[in-house]
Amino acid sequence: ACFRLLCSLLLPALFLSGILCICLVVLLWGVRLWIQRKKQLSSAGRDGKQPLLVAFFHPYCNAGGGGERVLWCAIRTLQKKYRNVTCVVYTGDRDATGEEIIEGAFRRFNIKLIHPVKFVFLEKRFLVEASLYPHFTLLGQSLGSVFLGWEALLKCVPDIYIDSMGYAFTIPLFKYLGGCRVGCYVHYPTISTDMLSVVRNQDTRFNNAAFITSSPLFSKFKLVYYYFFAFMYGLVGSCSDVVMVNSSWTLNHILSLWRAGACTSVVYPPCDVQTFLDIPLEVEESTGEYSIVSVSQFRPEKDHPLQIRAFAKLLKEKRVGQQPSLKLILIGGCRNQQDEERVNNLKCLCEELGVSDDVMFRINIPFEELKRHLAEATIGLHTMWNEHFGIGVVECMAAGTVILAHNSGGPKLDIVVPHEGHVTGFLAEDEDSYADTMAYIFSLSPEKRLQIRENARRSVHRFSDQHFEDTFLLSVEPLFK
């Protein structure tokens, strides 16, 4: 009797599930045909020699960070190589015109495009803002990106789609509904095996709150959530026809999560090394003040508080009356109100530690001013744990500062590595080691520092614009066949 009851319930449920699956497939197929028809009509509206539309999904293209430099260099590279290509940028920067965005790219990065770019302005960018999802942020932002991607697809159907900002969940949308050839440039995996280990080991970090680390139950629940998300992330990422990653660190994580080794390659981000290499490199003259410069956006993962605490410790331990005086200059971009609040909190930290007069904040500054600060600095400072690459690190080395970066991620594996057997910079991990290493760098003779700066300069040519152009074109070639 129980078996008959089970069958009477199970068979209709299976039948209903099958019908629903068929309906879903038919619906998705219908949507795909409708989108393709829409694309054909828009193509027919112009002449027969329709250019190839290459779209970049970059909702924050006016942010002024390293990811944006990659975007504009990639577009310039395609414009140089292919005559029949029109580049499209999906952006949520509705507070600026297309002309202002292009002008900003030139002012901040010294990048001038050869042809105009078509901007598709998106209205639903708020769906990918982290502030909208106080809990389950990764999942919320990823689902939000699908809705934002859908808006982008309805406004413009490209031939080739490249996610250049890390919204992997948009890739299946453009591939299977848009019928596009798809690629992506991964700056930083949305989730990584390091993030899983942080939760597993119950470490407190900016993305793992103390109330979770103190509870074994919450930690286990978050670990299950992370594993589920990692599985979904791997699934959508593996839909890519071409995968480009920015460093060895990112490559290792993407290979383990996406398992798409055949179409994955390392394309180092383009760093404007030549502009910085033009700065004359000479033995420092005796001066009344040495400066330590940090170049990075004011985001939580960049860990500016560590820089300020290490600097305060350095000043505290400096012998009384020792000259010259030291100045810490924090240079970076502010994307929104949250970033501005973060800067205010950092200023409060400076006051608490009594170093307000010795710390200078320079926000959203022009390129020439950035160059001047780097030319005058002795130490280039970087404190992000597991920085995926570190364009700011390369710029500091090219400009002739002695780099002190975090002993992890891209700086450890790709950038601050010996060049022809010679030291190119230094690595540290915590407040004490940063303070100690800065003190050590200042204790070196100007001649010894010059040697390290020269070694660093020689090592950065592999991160040049030209090297990026060559490797980027090689990687995206399959999308144009």
Side-chain angles (χ1 to χ4, degrees):
C2 284
F3 179 73
R4 270 203 305 274
L5 179 65
L6 193 64
C7 285
S8 67
L9 291 171
L10 193 61
L11 288 174
L14 287 172
F15 179 73
L16 188 62
S17 299
I19 293 291
L20 287 172
C21 284
I22 291 166
C23 289
L24 184 63
V25 169
V26 170
L27 177 67
L28 291 174
W29 187 252
V31 170
R32 180 186 164 102
L33 289 176
W34 172 65
I35 289 172
Q36 292 305 304
R37 179 71 182 147
K38 192 178 174 192
K39 183 181 178 182
Q40 285 168 1
L41 289 172
S42 68
S43 300
R46 285 167 275 176
D47 59 28
K49 293 179 182 176
Q50 176 64 14
L52 208 61
L53 281 184
V54 181
F56 291 83
F57 190 75
H58 210 104
Y60 296 88
C61 74
N62 204 28
E68 287 66 61
R69 187 164 212 287
V70 171
L71 169 71
W72 302 120
C73 275
I75 289 172
R76 184 179 63 184
T77 302
L78 291 181
Q79 290 180 342
K80 276 188 197 175
K81 168 79 174 177
Y82 298 102
R83 288 177 182 275
N84 67 326
V85 157
T86 295
C87 290
V88 177
V89 177
Y90 296 118
T91 179
D93 292 300
R94 292 187 299 143
D95 56 346
T97 64
E99 290 76 17
E100 286 168 346
I101 292 170
I102 295 295
E103 171 58 32
F106 178 65
R107 194 179 72 252
R108 289 174 186 144
F109 306 120
N110 207 25
I111 294 171
K112 199 162 184 66
L113 300 180
I114 301 161
H115 304 297
V117 168
K118 179 183 174 186
F119 288 94
V120 175
F121 290 94
L122 307 175
E123 293 169 27
K124 296 183 178 64
R125 189 177 73 178
F126 67 90
L127 292 173
V128 296
E129 292 277 358
S131 56
L132 194 63
Y133 313 99
H135 307 292
F136 300 100
T137 312
L138 293 180
L139 191 60
Q141 284 183 292
S142 297
L143 292 175
S145 74
V146 175
F147 287 101
L148 190 63
W150 176 246
E151 182 194 345
L153 187 58
L154 289 184
K155 286 185 172 177
C156 175
V157 187
D159 300 291
I160 295 169
Y161 170 79
I162 298 173
D163 163 41
S164 51
M165 212 180 160
Y167 293 105
F169 282 75
T170 62
I171 293 167
L173 191 70
F174 279 83
K175 182 169 186 172
Y176 298 115
L177 293 185
C180 312
R181 281 159 278 171
V182 296
C184 59
Y185 188 97
V186 184
H187 297 275
Y188 197 83
T190 305
I191 191 165
S192 66
T193 49
D194 289 323
M195 287 166 71
L196 291 169
S197 69
V198 163
V199 178
R200 198 184 301 115
N201 299 335
Q202 294 178 245
D203 291 342
T204 302
R205 290 189 185 267
F206 76 91
N207 57 355
N208 198 36
F211 80 90
I212 290 175
T213 59
S214 60
S215 165
L217 181 66
F218 282 156
S219 288
K220 281 187 172 62
F221 179 76
K222 186 168 183 177
L223 194 59
V224 169
Y225 158 57
Y226 266 21
Y227 272 115
F228 167 73
F229 185 84
F231 171 74
M232 294 301 296
Y233 182 60
L235 216 58
V236 296
S238 63
C239 298
S240 301
D241 300 314
V242 162
V243 180
M244 293 166 280
V245 297
N246 66 343
S247 69
S248 305
W249 181 86
T250 308
L251 175 72
N252 295 335
H253 287 284
I254 288 298
L255 288 179
S256 68
L257 290 164
W258 290 12
R259 306 193 184 282
C263 61
T264 305
S265 55
V266 176
V267 178
Y268 288 131
C271 308
D272 193 11
V273 293
Q274 195 50 56
T275 305
F276 293 105
L277 289 171
D278 290 341
I279 297 169
L281 200 60
E282 297 158 355
V283 177
E284 305 149 45
E285 294 174 17
S286 55
T287 172
E289 183 178 271
Y290 281 145
S291 65
I292 301 160
V293 168
S294 157
V295 183
S296 58
Q297 285 181 309
F298 288 100
R299 304 206 309 250
E301 63 271 25
K302 298 297 182 182
D303 206 353
H304 288 91
L306 173 56
Q307 299 179 1
I308 294 166
R309 287 197 304 270
F311 179 68
K313 193 176 182 67
L314 175 70
L315 290 185
K316 190 179 175 185
E317 292 179 355
K318 212 160 70 101
R319 288 191 300 276
V320 179
Q322 183 185 342
Q323 292 297 323
S325 64
L326 303 177
K327 182 77 82 179
L328 174 63
I329 304 169
L330 303 179
I331 300 173
C334 274
R335 302 161 300 171
N336 49 37
Q337 195 182 338
Q338 286 173 303
D339 288 356
E340 285 163 17
E341 284 170 13
R342 206 166 282 123
V343 170
N344 289 333
N345 291 338
L346 291 172
K347 287 177 179 175
C348 290
L349 177 63
C350 291
E351 283 177 24
E352 276 174 43
L353 297 172
V355 293
S356 291
D357 294 340
D358 306 299
V359 180
M360 186 194 299
F361 289 84
R362 304 298 296 127
I363 297 155
N364 297 333
I365 60 173
F367 185 76
E368 284 307 312
E369 191 182 337
L370 164 69
K371 197 172 161 182
R372 181 172 58 77
H373 281 300
L374 284 175
E376 293 168 358
T378 302
I379 294 176
L381 195 59
H382 168 277
T383 46
M384 180 175 166
W385 170 72
N386 271 341
E387 169 76 90
H388 39 297
F389 179 72
I391 287 181
V393 175
V394 174
E395 288 175 347
C396 286
M397 289 167 75
T401 69
V402 179
I403 191 68
L404 173 55
H406 199 281
N407 189 25
S408 63
K412 178 185 180 178
L413 296 175
D414 291 312
I415 306 171
V416 191
V417 294
H419 178 68
E420 295 174 359
H422 299 294
V423 174
T424 58
F426 299 90
L427 299 166
E429 288 177 10
D430 53 26
E431 193 180 313
D432 289 340
S433 59
Y434 269 100
D436 291 345
T437 311
M438 283 191 278
Y440 172 73
I441 293 167
F442 285 121
S443 75
L444 296 172
S445 68
E447 290 77 20
K448 182 62 183 168
R449 280 200 294 267
L450 179 63
Q451 251 178 32
I452 295 166
R453 291 157 66 207
E454 285 172 341
N455 296 337
R457 275 198 157 183
R458 281 193 288 269
S459 75
V460 298
H461 287 287
R462 63 214 160 96
F463 306 123
S464 65
D465 284 2
Q466 187 56 53
H467 191 264
F468 169 81
E469 288 183 10
D470 296 341
T471 51
F472 177 77
L473 286 173
L474 205 60
S475 298
V476 298
E477 201 177 342
L479 298 176
F480 289 84
K481 285 179 179 172

